[in-house]
Amino acid sequence: MKNYLIISLLLSVIIFACSESKLEESNYQQESVGEALKPTKESNWAPLPDSSISVGMVGNVNDTTRMFIKRIEMKFRVKNVFQSSLKIEEWCKKFGGFIILSDMMSNVSYTENKRISEDSLLEITHYVVSNKIQLRVPVEKSDSLIRSIYSLIDFLDYKNISAEDVGLQINFNKRRIQRRQKFEQNVRKQVKKPSVSGENIVLGKEDEADNSLFENMRLMDEVKYSTITLDIYQREQIKYTVIPNNEKNINEYQPGFFKQLIDSVAIGWKILKEFILMIVRLWAVLLMVIVVIMAIKKYRKKKVKKDFKLN
């Protein structure tokens, strides 16, 4: 009896020790996971990896009525726009995607000029380089691409993820195509002889079915490939350029004394010629003035003689 008690006590001690070790191991794992999820000082600009968000968007994979169009928009600052753009393009190709837009530009904030010598200026241009990139990536690779892009971010402005459920629209289009096919078959069965009106009705329904088919193809393409829009920029840059000084003193461009003297004589001669020509053009007016003056003088002489005789 005593042996049984001793054996049972030993078994209890062993089971209790094993349970404590498992409990400590599980606590250690939880603490490790918690420490891993804490943001570090270098990554306090960025949210945690969006795997939890993406899983929530995917939902029940066995539910065929749910089909999501996933769109991601991000704006962030990088150290070098050109090098970061090349990296993003390489990652996009690596994950089976393709670029549909890359619009890189330099936006000039302002420009100032400083005089550094008599004939030179220093042009100081403040500008910001930016690039808007739009790419399509297989939806199952979009999270991997975003995680790769995290390494380029110097400052995150925003990150937006949207998922539009188009499963009902796709199923509705499929039903519409089936109904129009049945309608076409019924019309052809009822109309034994081909007629213009019957063919027009059938062609109209075929066009509607084609539109629904193309719409489904477009939606399925957007479901298969996520659309990612990236607006990246870098810190303001300054460019220094030495340019010639075109704002010289006006006196430096004036001609010498003798040149001015010759020009003045020529201008005076030109004015004199214009005056003579003007007088010649007005000869008729001058002739009339002269005749009037002579008539007035003659009239005054006659009047003076007449008054003298009367006196």
Side-chain angles (χ1 to χ4, degrees):
M1 185 71 179
K2 291 181 179 180
N3 293 332
Y4 289 124
L5 289 174
I6 293 171
I7 293 172
S8 60
L9 287 173
L10 289 174
L11 290 174
S12 301
V13 170
I14 294 171
I15 293 170
F16 179 76
C18 292
S19 62
E20 279 191 343
S21 63
K22 289 183 179 179
L23 181 60
E24 290 177 357
E25 184 180 357
S26 63
N27 291 334
Y28 175 76
Q29 290 178 352
Q30 291 178 357
E31 290 176 358
S32 301
V33 172
E35 291 295 329
L37 292 177
K38 287 182 180 179
T40 62
K41 292 182 179 179
E42 296 179 353
S43 63
N44 56 3
W45 46 263
L48 294 174
D50 61 335
S51 58
S52 59
I53 300 176
S54 302
V55 171
M57 287 181 176
V58 172
N60 185 6
V61 295
N62 296 323
D63 187 359
T64 57
T65 61
R66 302 294 180 183
M67 298 182 183
F68 292 96
I69 294 176
K70 186 177 180 181
R71 298 185 180 93
I72 302 173
E73 295 182 1
M74 295 179 66
K75 182 178 181 181
F76 53 90
R77 187 180 67 206
V78 296
K79 293 181 179 180
N80 187 289
V81 168
F82 182 74
Q83 294 179 0
S84 299
S85 300
L86 292 178
K87 276 287 186 184
I88 293 171
E89 291 177 2
E90 290 177 3
W91 289 333
C92 180
K93 293 178 181 178
K94 175 183 175 182
F95 292 117
F98 52 91
I99 306 291
I100 60 176
L101 175 66
S102 181
D103 186 13
M104 186 181 297
M105 65 179 65
S106 295
N107 301 310
V108 178
S109 302
Y110 64 95
T111 303
E112 56 181 337
N113 295 326
K114 291 187 177 181
R115 186 173 180 178
I116 57 176
S117 65
E118 291 295 330
D119 58 350
S120 300
L121 295 175
L122 180 63
E123 183 183 62
I124 305 174
T125 304
H126 299 255
Y127 66 98
V128 177
V129 180
S130 62
N131 190 12
K132 186 172 184 180
I133 307 173
Q134 198 168 40
L135 43 93
R136 303 288 305 282
V137 181
V139 66
E140 65 274 7
K141 299 291 185 179
S142 60
D143 291 343
S144 300
L145 176 59
I146 294 300
R147 291 191 186 96
S148 300
I149 291 173
Y150 281 157
S151 61
L152 301 175
I153 298 178
D154 186 43
F155 178 82
L156 178 66
D157 291 74
Y158 62 81
K159 173 187 173 184
N160 296 327
I161 301 178
S162 63
E164 181 184 359
D165 185 5
V166 295
L168 295 177
Q169 181 65 39
I170 292 175
N171 290 328
F172 176 75
N173 289 339
K174 289 180 180 178
R175 293 286 297 170
R176 180 183 294 176
I177 294 171
Q178 293 173 358
R179 288 198 306 269
R180 285 167 183 164
Q181 290 175 349
K182 290 181 180 179
F183 177 82
E184 177 186 349
Q185 293 174 0
N186 293 332
V187 170
R188 293 190 182 279
K189 287 180 181 179
Q190 293 177 3
V191 180
K192 295 181 180 179
K193 295 182 179 180
S195 61
V196 176
S197 60
E199 289 297 327
N200 289 336
I201 294 173
V202 172
L203 288 175
K205 295 301 179 181
E206 286 179 349
D207 290 339
E208 293 179 3
D210 290 340
N211 293 334
S212 299
L213 179 61
F214 292 147
E215 178 67 14
N216 267 9
M217 292 172 64
R218 184 187 66 81
L219 293 175
M220 290 302 297
D221 178 71
E222 293 192 20
V223 168
K224 186 178 179 181
Y225 285 86
S226 298
T227 302
I228 301 176
T229 303
L230 305 175
D231 190 356
I232 63 176
Y233 64 97
Q234 65 187 46
R235 292 183 182 274
E236 185 178 78
Q237 304 293 308
I238 301 177
K239 180 178 177 60
Y240 300 95
T241 307
V242 178
I243 60 175
N245 183 9
N246 297 323
E247 298 179 358
K248 295 182 179 179
N249 192 343
I250 189 65
N251 295 325
E252 299 179 11
Y253 295 95
Q254 291 182 352
F257 171 76
F258 292 102
K259 176 63 176 176
Q260 294 184 37
L261 181 62
I262 295 173
D263 292 341
S264 299
V265 172
I267 292 173
W269 173 246
K270 188 175 181 180
I271 293 174
L272 180 61
K273 288 194 299 182
E274 292 293 334
F275 179 74
I276 294 173
L277 292 174
M278 183 184 66
I279 293 175
V280 173
R281 292 190 189 99
L282 299 176
W283 66 269
V285 177
L286 293 175
L287 181 61
M288 291 177 62
V289 171
I290 292 171
V291 171
V292 170
I293 292 173
M294 292 178 64
I296 292 174
K297 287 183 176 180
K298 189 175 181 180
Y299 174 76
R300 286 182 177 178
K301 287 180 180 180
K302 289 182 179 180
K303 188 176 181 181
V304 171
K305 289 181 180 180
K306 187 176 179 181
D307 292 339
F308 181 75
K309 289 180 180 181
L310 291 174
N311 294 329

